[in-house]
Amino acid sequence: MSLTFDHVTLGQRVLFGTGKAADNLAAEVQRFGAQRVMVIASGSEAAIAAKVATGIEAALNYDDVAPHVPIEKAERARTAAAEHGIDLLVCVGGGSTTGLAKAIALTSGLPIIAVPTTYAGSEATNVWGLTEAARKTTGVDDKVLPATVIYDANLTLSLPVELSVASGLNGMAHCIDSMWGPRVDPINQALAAEGIRALNQGLPGIVQDPQGLEGREQALYGAYLSAVAFASAGSGMHHKICHVLGGTWNMPHAQTHATVLPYVLAFNAPAAPDAAGRIAAAFGTTDAVDGLNLLRETLDAPKALKDYGFAQENIAEAVDLILPVIPASNPRPATKENLTVLLRAATAGDDPKTLTDL
């Protein structure tokens, strides 16, 4: 990796503390001088959001949230914010909730305070996504970067182990994609490697002790690092695949990432030995793919796209949609043939190692 590079660090306040979310949110709202706060949380997160917001007065509580941020829901939320004269957005939840807040900020410029309850990492990026007519569009705009992120491991205790695993592996995907993203540099790689280490330590802790806080704190820390690395390095092959699958076939976001990740790693690792070496070292193994697979076995991670609604007959269409958006900088050139092989393996849940010999 050359030490000639151009790195941008995004400006964001991060408040990390277990049991401190409500106090930190009240202090931040006061610091902003906000008078009309919109609190965004899905119906399933309403109770958590109410506890977090005990120290503030919300002008609007909003719960019309859906995965992949359908454009219709974004437009309704934008209208609601305007009609209520909102001057600050507070989102409590996972990537879908953060995504809706970003959609409002994209057109209004309103500041966001993000309070994550999963390991999605969207809260630490300036990337937005919207879905229209079964096609997901993403973009980059500093207006959507939350001004403040409030992390509190207590808020993740309600996340079931199975979802914690999928969400944490979504964070792992941010780390691994950052190792060869379009704008990769040594700072991204250092952050991503520490993110891999933290997630590799934290996620098994959650499985072993679901109500323990140490594993969840490590996972939150790793998820934040993964997102910071990803925001700088840019979206690589893995994310391009998952955005197409999620937007076109309405597949569950975290589980799709968790399933596809080992296949992309096995596909790229032979062509990126330096990155693969860093990934392996972060896992504490000699081989990157073995390190990830060992973690996935420990976690009983999602294994096959067919389990989440994707079928072999969808592969040809998926390849046609994915191929044009894979970055030219991907370590290994993607072709219709090898991308088809990758998706076949991921759909069936075959051994990812078969892709290293393509």
Side-chain angles (χ1 to χ4, degrees):
M1 174 60 66
S2 167
L3 285 181
T4 302
F5 59 88
D6 179 352
H7 179 87
V8 176
T9 298
L10 299 175
Q12 184 179 62
R13 182 178 174 88
V14 177
L15 301 171
F16 204 110
T18 300
K20 297 181 180 295
D23 290 343
N24 282 336
L25 178 60
E28 281 300 280
V29 170
Q30 185 174 14
R31 187 172 74 88
F32 275 93
Q35 302 298 314
R36 307 280 299 170
V37 179
M38 179 176 180
V39 177
I40 304 168
S42 67
S44 61
E45 303 272 27
I48 293 173
K51 286 182 183 176
V52 171
T54 50
I56 69 171
E57 188 174 334
L60 176 62
N61 288 292
Y62 196 86
D63 65 1
D64 190 9
V65 176
H68 307 297
V69 195
I71 188 70
E72 303 82 13
K73 291 192 180 292
E75 287 171 351
R76 280 200 290 273
R78 289 163 175 169
T79 299
E83 288 177 347
H84 286 80
I86 299 302
D87 58 4
L88 177 67
L89 305 169
V90 172
C91 52
V92 182
S96 299
T97 308
T98 308
L100 186 63
K102 287 181 170 186
I104 300 169
L106 183 65
T107 55
S108 68
L110 289 172
I112 302 171
I113 297 177
V115 188
T117 61
T118 72
Y119 310 110
S122 173
E123 68 279 355
T125 79
N126 56 355
V127 178
W128 56 266
L130 291 166
T131 302
E132 184 173 12
R135 295 289 183 267
K136 187 167 185 176
T137 302
T138 61
V140 176
D141 194 314
D142 287 349
K143 280 190 294 193
V144 309
L145 176 73
T148 304
V149 185
I150 295 172
Y151 288 107
D152 181 339
N154 276 343
L155 305 184
T156 70
L157 288 172
S158 64
L159 194 65
V161 168
E162 185 180 335
L163 273 178
S164 297
V165 165
S167 182
L169 288 172
N170 182 17
M172 184 69 76
H174 287 126
C175 292
I176 289 175
D177 232 13
S178 296
M179 288 289 187
W180 41 58
R183 299 185 302 277
V184 64
D185 65 43
I187 297 173
N188 309 144
Q189 291 190 321
L191 292 169
E194 174 64 2
I196 292 170
R197 186 207 61 76
L199 287 163
N200 190 47
Q201 178 181 332
L203 294 176
I206 294 172
V207 171
Q208 291 158 13
D209 183 10
Q211 292 303 302
L213 290 168
E214 190 174 336
R216 291 182 181 271
E217 285 180 339
Q218 282 293 315
L220 269 183
Y221 167 62
Y224 168 71
L225 290 172
S226 76
V228 173
F230 179 71
S232 178
S235 183
M237 179 182 186
H238 170 87
H239 279 79
K240 298 303 185 184
I241 292 173
C242 292
H243 286 161
V244 168
L245 298 181
T248 308
W249 287 277
N250 196 30
M251 295 177 65
H253 183 82
Q255 291 88 340
T256 302
H257 280 272
T259 304
V260 169
L261 181 58
Y263 297 96
V264 175
L265 177 57
F267 181 89
N268 273 340
D274 178 67
R278 288 171 184 259
I279 293 166
F283 278 122
T285 57
T286 56
D287 180 88
V289 180
D290 288 346
L292 177 60
N293 283 340
L294 188 62
L295 174 65
R296 287 169 47 79
E297 286 167 19
T298 301
L299 302 177
D300 191 22
K303 293 179 177 64
L305 291 175
K306 66 182 180 183
D307 297 334
Y308 301 100
F310 188 78
Q312 292 283 351
E313 53 264 31
N314 301 135
I315 289 175
E317 182 184 356
V319 168
D320 287 342
L321 292 170
I322 293 164
L323 204 53
V325 294
I326 292 179
S329 58
N330 193 65
R332 185 176 188 176
T335 65
K336 189 171 247 187
E337 292 72 28
N338 61 29
L339 189 53
T340 297
V341 172
L342 187 156
L343 286 176
R344 274 188 192 143
T347 302
D350 294 340
D351 182 358
K353 279 247 166 175
T354 58
L355 298 174
T356 59
D357 301 323
L358 272 180

